[in-house]
Amino acid sequence: MRLTPKFLIGLGLLVVIGYFLTDLVFNDNQYAVRLRKTRQEKNDAFRRVDGSPLSQEQRDTFDSLRYFAPNPDYRVEAQLEVYTRPDTVRMALTDGKAENYLRWGRASFQLNQQPQQLTLFLKADGQDSTLFVPFTDKTNGFTSYGGGRYLDAALPPAGATELALDFNEAYNPYCAYNDAYACPVPPTDNRLPIAIEAGEKEFHDHADHAAGDKE
C-alpha cells in the first residue's frame, strides 16, 4: 500500500490525539491516587492521641472520614483580584467570639456553568503562609457539615492573575467533630448558591460513622 502525505498527516494527528487523551486519563488517575493517599493519612492522624480533634471515645470507634469521590470538574483556575489595601475584618467564631483576618482578595470562577466568587482571607497576625477560604454551599446540612467547610490555597507570587482552587480538598472545621472547638464561621459573601459535591462530607459518630462512605 502506498502511503500518501495526507495519510501520514492523518496518522500523525491520531497519534497526537491518542497521546493527549492517554496523558489526560493518566494524570486524572494519578491525581485521584494522590488525593486518596492524603485522605488516608488524615484518617491515620485522627486515630492518634496527639493533634486529633476526636475524643478518646470517638477514636475508639473511628473508622474513616467520609468524602465525595474525586472529581476533576471541581478543580478550577480562578481569576484572582488582590486588594491593594486589604481591610481587617472580625470573623465570627462558633463560640461567639471573633478573630481578625485580612480581606486579602477575591477569586472569580465558573462552576455548574454559573459565575461564582469567593473572598480570600489571611490571618491578620501574619503567622499563616496560606490563604483561608471558608465557604458554605447547598450541600450543607444534607451531605456535608451544616456549618460550612474550608479551603486553603498557597499564597500566589506577586503579579499573579490566577489562583488554583480545588474543592476536592475542602475540609471540615474541627467543631464538626467536637463541640470543644471554636471555629471561624464562613461570612455571608462566601455563601455559594450551588451544591459543591466534592471534598469532605458530614462527620458521623460511632456506628453510623463507621458504616459511612469512606471514598
Side-chain angles (χ1 to χ4, degrees):
M1 182 180 69
R2 185 185 177 194
L3 301 180
T4 65
K6 287 185 178 180
F7 176 81
L8 292 174
I9 292 172
L11 182 62
L13 287 173
L14 288 175
V15 170
V16 171
I17 292 171
Y19 175 81
F20 173 77
L21 292 176
T22 301
D23 184 61
L24 184 62
V25 172
F26 176 78
N27 286 338
D28 282 344
N29 286 341
Q30 289 296 305
Y31 169 78
V33 168
R34 289 195 301 271
L35 190 61
R36 289 189 174 100
K37 182 176 183 292
T38 299
R39 291 174 175 180
Q40 185 57 53
E41 290 171 350
K42 186 171 182 178
N43 282 337
D44 294 341
F46 270 44
R47 295 188 184 98
R48 303 189 194 110
V49 175
D50 295 336
S52 173
L54 304 183
S55 66
Q56 181 61 57
E57 182 182 9
Q58 288 174 311
R59 289 196 303 274
D60 288 343
T61 57
F62 177 72
D63 178 29
S64 172
L65 298 174
R66 302 168 64 245
Y67 294 93
F68 293 97
N71 186 342
D73 291 342
Y74 285 101
R75 287 182 285 169
V76 301
E77 286 292 333
Q79 296 299 307
L80 175 62
E81 178 186 356
V82 180
Y83 298 149
T84 55
R85 294 184 179 179
D87 57 322
T88 301
V89 296
R90 297 280 288 167
M91 192 176 297
L93 302 179
T94 52
D95 64 355
K97 299 178 182 179
E99 288 183 341
N100 288 336
Y101 281 84
L102 297 178
R103 200 190 306 268
W104 187 87
R106 180 170 57 190
S108 302
F109 52 95
Q110 290 275 335
L111 262 181
N112 291 2
Q113 299 181 335
Q114 300 175 42
Q116 315 291 340
Q117 65 180 33
L118 288 169
T119 300
L120 311 170
F121 295 92
L122 192 64
K123 265 289 189 69
D125 59 14
Q127 298 300 309
D128 281 356
S129 59
T130 56
L131 296 171
F132 179 52
V133 194
F135 71 95
T136 63
D137 69 275
K138 294 298 184 181
T139 67
N140 299 154
F142 297 96
T143 51
S144 70
Y145 175 57
R149 293 177 289 170
Y150 302 159
L151 272 180
D152 296 324
L155 273 170
T161 59
E162 292 186 338
L163 179 71
L165 294 177
D166 189 350
F167 289 96
N168 293 287
E169 297 177 356
Y171 62 94
N172 289 337
Y174 270 15
C175 52
Y177 318 114
N178 192 327
D179 292 337
Y181 290 89
C183 310
V185 178
T188 56
D189 47 343
N190 276 8
R191 293 177 181 173
L192 295 175
I194 59 174
I196 302 293
E197 296 180 329
E200 191 173 346
K201 291 184 175 182
E202 185 178 12
F203 179 73
H204 292 287
D205 281 335
H206 312 304
D208 288 342
H209 174 64
D213 173 17
K214 303 174 187 178
E215 181 41 49

